């Protein structure tokens, strides 16, 4: 009887281990590695985002105080012109967590006053998450 239980238990255990090893862990990134606020240089957030590899399933965490700041997801054109006439999403209450659920490039600005023109904007490129990659490993 003990041998029969062992024959059933070992394959189930091995299957569970294989499934865990094949799963990539999702990460949450604090945008700018600090609070979402007017940066010292206009390219601060673009430099920050280019130093990470974002994958589907990860999330961006915007740490800000409302009503002094907000986060608006916009098109590339609106990021470049610092407008939010046709926003995709708006996060008016801080802090805000934005899940990155699909591959692509995503654009975020703050449309309070002229903060976007002062550099409070970021774009992130999201790659497809591969179950064979460790978090943030290169293919």
């Amino acid at each position: 009887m003990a041998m029969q239980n062992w024959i059933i238990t070992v394959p189930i255990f091995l299957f569970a281990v294989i499934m865990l090893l094949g799963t990539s862990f999702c990460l949450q990134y604090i945008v700018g590695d600090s609070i979402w606020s007017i940066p010292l240089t206009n390219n601060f957030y673009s430099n920050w985002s280019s130093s990470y590899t974002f994958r589907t399933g990860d999330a961006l965490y915007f740490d800000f105080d409302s009503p002094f700041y907000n986060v608006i997801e916009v098109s590339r054109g609106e990021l470049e012109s610092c407008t939010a006439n046709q926003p995709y999403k708006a996060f008016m209450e801080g802090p805000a967590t934005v899940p990155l659920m699909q591959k692509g490039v995503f654009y975020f600005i703050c449309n309070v006053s002229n903060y976007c023109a002062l550099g409070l904007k970021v774009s992130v490129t999201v790659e497809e998450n591969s179950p064979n990659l460790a978090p943030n490993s290169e293919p």
Side-chain angles (χ1 to χ4, degrees):
M1 182 73 129
M3 181 67 149
Q4 192 175 30
N5 286 342
W6 181 81
I7 291 172
I8 294 171
T9 305
V10 169
I12 293 172
F13 175 75
L14 290 175
F15 177 76
V17 169
I18 290 168
M19 292 305 292
L20 286 173
L21 291 175
T23 303
S24 287
F25 297 96
C26 299
L27 300 176
Q28 179 171 282
Y29 296 88
I30 299 171
V31 177
D33 294 325
S34 185
I35 60 171
W36 175 245
S37 61
I38 299 169
L40 294 176
T41 61
N42 205 304
N43 59 351
F44 173 80
Y45 287 104
S46 61
N47 290 342
W48 173 83
S49 68
S50 67
S51 67
Y52 291 98
T53 302
F54 303 99
R55 301 199 188 284
T56 54
D58 289 345
L60 299 177
Y61 179 81
F62 292 87
D63 188 11
F64 66 94
D65 290 326
S66 31
F68 305 109
Y69 299 94
N70 61 27
V71 176
I72 311 293
E73 184 179 349
V74 294
S75 67
R76 179 179 178 180
E78 288 199 307
L79 173 99
E80 291 171 354
S81 64
C82 284
T83 59
N85 297 325
Q86 297 178 330
Y88 299 138
K89 292 180 187 164
F91 303 90
M92 308 309 274
E93 298 289 324
T97 301
V98 179
L100 303 172
M101 300 309 293
Q102 59 188 5
K103 178 180 167 180
V105 182
F106 300 90
Y107 307 94
F108 303 93
I109 66 170
C110 175
N111 76 340
V112 173
S113 188
N114 67 336
Y115 293 178
C116 176
L118 295 172
L120 196 49
K121 57 186 174 180
V122 66
S123 66
V124 296
T125 302
V126 180
E127 298 178 5
E128 191 68 41
N129 194 359
S130 171
N132 297 325
L133 291 177
N136 284 326
S137 66
E138 297 301 320

